[in-house]
Amino acid sequence: MAPDTSPPASTAPATPARTLLPLILPALVVGVVASLLFLGVSGAAEALQHVLWGNLPDALGVGRYSVLWTMVILTGTGVLAGLVVWKVPGHAGPDPATTGLDAPVLPPVVLPGLLLATALTLAGGPSLGPENPIIAVNVGLAYWLGRRLLPRMPGGMWTVLAEAATIGALFGTPVAAALVMSEALAGQPLKGRLWDHVFAPLVAAAAGAITTSLVAHPTFDLHLPPLGRAGWVDVLAALVIAPLAALLGMCAVRAFPYVHGAFSRLRHPMLILPAGGIVMGLLGALGGQLTLFKGLDQVAELARDPDGWTAGQFAGMTLVKLAALLVAASSGFRGGRIFPSVFIGAAFGLAAHALVPAVQPALGVAAGVLGMLLAITRQGWVSLFTAAVLVASPTVLALLCIASLPAWLLVTGRPQMQLTKEGAAVR
């Protein structure tokens, strides 16, 4: 075999500006549209949530988050989602247990059902976020419309633009998309420089992030008590909490194929999804309203009073939410696993603070989120970034970089919370 004489990416010739310039306008359009679709689905889901959990129980004279109403709404959500998966053309896409952030290109007929199933999940209370299905819908729209409007542009470029745009819109910053792309490109043979490959996706991510910021003004900062100068206690706390959170997350990952297999034995979506809704209703009744929904608003509520619950209560919410995520992801509800994992990690970190007051709340939350996301997603940069933005502190970022090392040793090479089509765990 002849030796590879191609220059490494660092010394390869850069792509001319005239090649990159035509990509700017399509990237901007994809970014804006991806953000508006995300905001539209989120807004519709919030309106439906207000009806299901506010107007209806008030009109019926039932407690909004009573055991009875929680069971009714979660079971009803399972029934409605089951009807969508069963009857709507396209069946709301592939089994969500098999999907991640790298979405496949779905046929256009699938996308309306997937959007409807996602809105039902977000409104009804299952512990899943919008990220996976929203990325899939934006990828499908960008690919099928882009190929018709600009057929000369490579189809793969539309996929990359849509993924980057949606991640930028979800997190409100293009930095998250840049980190995801850098992980995706790692190990791939690249012709040219890295920044030439990420130029157009970053334009799309920036457009998506700016659109979201202008319309919705999102923030991930939990406004926890600021972390002062780090001491040896903080270093030790980070090195303990992140790996322990990762180990807890790995327990759920280990159980994932078995729980998914148990629901799959029911075979029909009108049995699988309502059964999942019943189990989540029981978990919601056990854990309370903070353990419902995707988790971001609930994390903010925890952060407003980090000393408002005991270590046992925080631990209980951690376990209930982790079980709810496991059931929701296994029983066919359409949604992503990142946002509920943030709640689980944050509650775990606050339990550590309540148990050992020397653990500062900000550090406990950030380290817990880091370890949990590493276990669930195996996305190192995204886990580090998400944990860091919850607590705006350079000191926390340095501690998280240190804590990520032992946590990564625990999770690397092991399965993540995603299955192949055959039901085996993805490594």
Side-chain angles (χ1 to χ4, degrees), residues 7-8 15 27 31 77 96 133 137 142 192 197 234 254 266 288 307 332 338 383 397 414:
T15 303
T77 300
V137 171
H197 290 270
D234 300 311
R254 181 83 175 186
L266 298 176
D307 296 309
I338 291 179
S383 302
L397 181 57
R414 292 179 171 84

Side-chain angles (χ1 to χ4, degrees), residues 28 48 61 69 85 97 114 193 218 240 252 255 297 333 376 410-411 422 427:
L28 289 173
L48 179 58
W69 195 249
V85 175
L114 181 55
R193 299 179 182 273
V240 171
D297 293 338
F333 286 91
I376 299 297
L410 290 173
V411 304
E422 293 74 26
R427 290 183 180 268

Side-chain angles (χ1 to χ4, degrees), residues 53 67-82 124-126 270 272-282 333:
W53 295 93
V67 172
L68 172 62
W69 195 249
T70 299
M71 289 294 302
V72 167
I73 293 299
L74 266 298
T75 304
T77 300
V79 172
L80 292 175
M270 285 305 296
I272 296 173
L273 283 135
I278 292 172
V279 176
M280 282 188 292
L282 294 171
F333 286 91

Side-chain angles (χ1 to χ4, degrees), residues 22-404:
L23 301 176
I24 293 178
L25 181 58
L28 289 173
V29 172
V30 170
V32 173
V33 172
S35 174
L36 292 177
L37 187 140
F38 160 62
L39 292 172
V41 173
S42 298
E46 288 176 5
L48 179 58
Q49 177 184 331
H50 184 71
V51 171
L52 295 177
W53 295 93
N55 295 343
L56 270 179
D58 290 349
L60 296 172
V62 180
R64 290 187 175 187
Y65 294 99
S66 63
V67 172
L68 172 62
W69 195 249
T70 299
M71 289 294 302
V72 167
I73 293 299
L74 266 298
T75 304
T77 300
V79 172
L80 292 175
L83 284 171
V84 172
V85 175
W86 180 27
K87 289 295 187 180
V88 173
H91 307 290
D95 183 350
T98 65
T99 61
L101 295 180
D102 51 341
V105 178
L106 300 175
V109 69
V110 175
L111 306 185
L114 181 55
L115 283 176
L116 179 57
T118 302
L120 288 172
T121 296
L122 294 175
S127 295
L128 292 172
E131 61 274 17
N132 290 8
I134 294 298
I135 289 174
V137 171
N138 279 329
V139 165
L141 285 175
Y143 181 87
W144 291 101
L145 291 176
R147 292 289 286 169
R148 282 152 181 76
L149 297 175
L150 293 174
R152 294 184 179 181
M153 191 166 168
M157 178 58 72
W158 293 111
T159 300
V160 173
L161 292 179
E163 288 182 352
T166 311
I167 293 171
L170 285 164
F171 287 94
T173 171
V175 175
L179 295 174
V180 171
M181 286 185 293
S182 68
E183 277 194 286
L185 292 173
Q188 294 186 13
L190 300 179
K191 295 182 179 179
R193 299 179 182 273
L194 175 64
W195 276 94
D196 292 334
H197 290 270
V198 302
F199 176 82
L202 274 180
V203 172
I210 291 172
T211 302
T212 298
S213 298
L214 292 175
V215 175
H217 314 291
T219 178
F220 281 81
D221 188 358
L222 297 178
H223 304 291
L224 285 161
L227 181 68
R229 183 177 179 181
W232 288 109
V233 172
D234 300 311
V235 175
L236 179 61
L239 288 171
V240 171
I241 294 172
L244 286 179
L247 283 174
L248 179 61
M250 289 301 297
C251 292
V253 171
R254 181 83 175 186
F256 188 44
Y258 300 101
V259 178
H260 180 268
F263 280 108
S264 297
R265 290 189 187 96
L266 298 176
R267 297 187 179 277
H268 198 282
M270 285 305 296
L271 295 176
I272 296 173
L273 283 135
I278 292 172
V279 176
M280 282 188 292
L282 294 171
L283 290 169
L286 177 64
Q289 68 185 76
L290 289 179
T291 60
L292 299 172
F293 307 106
K294 64 183 180 183
L296 286 186
D297 293 338
Q298 291 71 28
V299 166
E301 188 168 341
L302 290 182
R304 279 195 290 270
D305 189 8
D307 296 309
W309 291 268
T310 66
Q313 289 173 318
F314 279 124
M317 286 187 280
T318 300
L319 295 176
V320 169
K321 187 70 172 181
L322 186 61
L325 169 61
L326 181 59
V327 171
S330 301
S331 56
F333 286 91
R334 271 48 181 176
R337 299 174 279 277
I338 291 179
F339 289 159
S341 297
V342 170
F343 178 94
I344 298 165
F348 183 88
L350 290 173
H353 162 69
L355 188 64
V356 183
V359 175
Q360 300 190 57
L363 179 58
V365 166
V369 169
L370 171 66
M372 187 59 59
L373 283 176
L374 284 174
I376 299 297
T377 69
R378 211 68 82 254
Q379 296 270 351
W381 282 121
V382 171
S383 302
L384 187 61
F385 167 79
T386 305
V389 297
L390 296 174
V391 182
S393 167
T395 304
V396 166
L397 181 57
L399 291 171
L400 290 178
C401 289
I402 297 171
S404 67

